[in-house]
Amino acid sequence: MSEDQVTETAASSSKGRPAKKAAKANFFARIALFIRQVIGELKKVVAPTRKELINYTLVVLVFVAIMMVIVSLLDIGFGSVVGWVFGGIAPWDR
């Protein structure tokens, strides 16, 4: 096998039939197609069970609570550092 045959890929090959360009459908046909596709996708959706929904809700609430604590601690810490750097009063000195 020659090197030309090994390095040639299907994408670079000019052999085969050229792809046909689909005629652009009118505005209302495209809207109808879009709605049919949306309905088809919505039929694939699986709603969570009650147990799963409660579990997901608890996970989100715990995550939000943890993030609130982290952001609050960072806010207090940075505020204290800024107060100390610029000669203000630290929050615990009030």
Side-chain angles (χ1 to χ4, degrees), residues 4-53:
D4 292 335
Q5 292 173 337
V6 173
T7 58
E8 184 178 35
T9 62
S12 65
S13 175
S14 62
K15 298 175 184 172
R17 262 190 346 217
K20 290 183 181 179
K21 288 193 174 187
K24 193 170 185 178
N26 68 21
F27 179 73
F28 295 109
R30 287 184 283 155
I31 289 177
L33 175 64
F34 174 74
I35 291 173
R36 282 195 308 270
Q37 289 175 344
V38 167
I39 292 170
E41 288 297 321
L42 286 175
K43 287 181 181 179
K44 297 177 188 178
V45 173
V46 178
T49 63
R50 182 176 177 86
K51 184 177 178 182
E52 289 173 335
L53 189 61

